Amino acid sequence: MSSPAKFQAAYADGKVLRTKLDIHARFSTVPTDIPAAVVRAIGAPSDGYVIDIGCGTGELIEHLAGLGHTGNLVGLDLVRPPLPDTARKRYVAGDAAYVPWPDESFDAVLCVHALSHLPNLGGAIREAQRLLRPGGVYVATANSIHSYPHVAAYRARIHALLDWGEPTFTTSHVNAENLERLLAPFWGEVSVQLLSGELRIPIGEFVNYFNANIATWDRSLTDKEQAAISGMVGAWARHDERNGHLVEPKVVAVATCRI
């Protein structure tokens, strides 16, 4: 897992996350509709107050606003997304373990694909509990360790070739397989739904997708190393392609928790 500083730098201008979201939007032959699952879990649209911790580009907050949600919406991340605030919608830069809001401020706390990036998982969950009003809901998601097998295999191959040791993935510590077990000690009720999908990515786009992930690795690469890795990944992808595409199955766990 990247250090907070490395992760913040990689996502500072939004390009990395936008590239990954764009690939998923265009090439998910079987989408995993995480926004729809979150909407169902929190009963949106409503007048409930919602905070998305680790909001990224603000996609989920914008989705809720677009549905006509009338309660206050807050998106928080290490880097504030460059989106305008409104009377009911606000974006802030901040730390998941130290959210600048009083106790019992929100009816729903969201943590979508963010738990695996948190250095203090327990502190962040306790902070979410502090923020929740009585009867509130906490929703967290995580990818399966079996998602994106080509990305995982190519990265492991790169680490072996360059003698970097075993790679650490975002799913190494928090994943669909252990999400319920990790959350259970903190919550009285935890239910998990699995969403299954598939990416079918053209070879050229796959290399761009892989390169976007490199920015979050726990290593700093020279331009020469970056170019060499891109060349290797392109060659491996062409070897493994099916009709000009790589097929990446993906599974996401959506956990809905209550105190």
Side-chain angles (χ1 to χ4, degrees):
M1 180 172 60
S2 299
S3 69
K6 178 73 182 295
F7 190 77
Q8 183 174 358
Y11 280 80
D13 65 358
K15 182 180 179 181
V16 169
L17 190 51
R18 282 196 302 271
T19 297
K20 295 166 74 171
L21 290 173
D22 176 65
I23 292 291
H24 280 268
R26 289 192 290 142
F27 302 117
S28 288
T29 50
V30 182
T32 50
D33 197 343
I34 296 172
V38 171
V39 164
R40 289 192 297 270
I42 67 174
S46 70
D47 61 356
Y49 282 30
V50 179
I51 184 169
D52 183 12
I53 296 176
C55 68
T57 62
E59 180 185 36
L60 187 52
I61 291 296
E62 295 299 309
H63 180 73
L64 291 170
L67 292 176
H69 193 87
T70 58
N72 285 357
L73 297 168
V74 176
L76 178 143
D77 211 317
L78 289 173
V79 178
R80 183 194 182 283
L83 295 169
D85 292 341
T86 68
R88 292 286 186 183
K89 176 167 59 79
R90 180 180 175 190
Y91 292 101
V92 297
D95 188 323
Y98 304 98
V99 179
W101 261 266
D103 295 359
E104 300 183 1
S105 289
F106 297 97
D107 300 287
V109 176
L110 314 178
C111 197
V112 175
H113 282 0
L115 290 180
S116 58
H117 301 297
L118 301 178
N120 181 2
L121 182 62
I125 295 175
R126 286 187 288 272
E127 184 72 343
Q129 292 173 323
R130 181 188 69 78
L131 294 168
L132 275 177
R133 293 170 175 169
V137 61
Y138 176 76
V139 181
T141 68
N143 283 323
S144 168
I145 57 175
H146 303 296
S147 295
Y148 317 112
H150 290 98
V151 170
Y154 295 169
R155 184 173 176 192
R157 196 180 301 179
I158 289 164
H159 275 243
L161 286 171
L162 300 179
D163 197 24
W164 286 351
E166 290 295 319
T168 300
F169 298 98
T170 55
T171 53
S172 294
H173 305 295
V174 181
N175 49 62
E177 288 72 21
N178 69 11
L179 185 61
E180 183 172 5
R181 177 174 58 81
L182 290 177
L183 294 174
F186 298 93
W187 304 97
E189 174 187 333
V190 179
S191 62
V192 175
Q193 173 191 8
L194 294 179
L195 308 177
S196 297
E198 180 184 271
L199 277 172
R200 191 169 183 270
I201 314 174
I203 298 304
E205 297 283 0
F206 178 84
V207 174
N208 293 335
Y209 179 70
F210 191 93
N211 286 342
N213 284 282
I214 288 175
T216 65
W217 290 6
D218 51 1
R219 304 193 71 90
S220 296
L221 304 182
T222 65
D223 290 343
K224 184 177 180 179
E225 288 173 326
Q226 176 82 55
I229 287 171
S230 294
M232 287 189 290
V233 169
W236 297 335
R238 286 189 293 274
H239 178 269
D240 295 336
E241 58 89 10
R242 297 186 202 168
N243 298 318
H245 297 77
L246 279 185
V247 177
E248 294 282 56
K250 52 181 177 174
V251 175
V252 177
V254 181
T256 302
C257 310
R258 301 180 188 275
I259 296 175

